[in-house]
Amino acid sequence: MTRPLLALAAFEQELKWLALALGLASTIAIVQDWQPWPMILGLPFCLIWIYCGWLHTERQLKWINILFSALYVYGLLRWALGT
């Protein structure tokens, strides 16, 4: 892993707390039907967990979140393009 990415390892616990907050906010946005906020909040949530998966070589965690990130990007592009 490159040096800048390893530098974030010191903040892993803080990133996990941020991911928790993003996950809760995304869930509230889903319940309240605040489109596109669930995708906007869910994408950084997944990116944090991808990073944590790479940090600890947890392949399953990494690939599941890559899949969800791709779906969020697709959804955001559809929303932005109005289709």
Side-chain angles (χ1 to χ4, degrees):
M1 195 176 298
T2 63
R3 178 169 257 147
L5 289 177
L6 286 177
L8 290 175
F11 302 102
E12 181 182 4
Q13 190 58 49
E14 289 83 0
L15 287 171
K16 287 180 179 179
W17 282 109
L18 176 59
L20 174 64
L22 288 166
L24 290 172
S26 176
T27 302
I28 291 168
I30 290 168
V31 171
Q32 295 296 323
D33 196 26
W34 294 337
Q35 294 299 327
W37 286 102
M39 292 180 288
I40 292 170
L41 297 167
L43 182 58
F45 171 88
C46 286
L47 295 176
I48 289 170
W49 284 108
I50 289 169
Y51 173 73
C52 290
W54 247 294
L55 196 60
H56 298 290
T57 62
E58 296 177 33
R59 291 186 358 221
Q60 185 177 12
L61 176 66
K62 174 180 62 175
W63 289 110
I64 287 170
N65 282 289
I66 286 173
L67 173 65
F68 278 104
S69 294
L71 291 170
Y72 283 131
V73 168
Y74 168 74
L76 287 168
L77 287 173
R78 279 195 66 201
W79 176 81
L81 297 173
T83 56

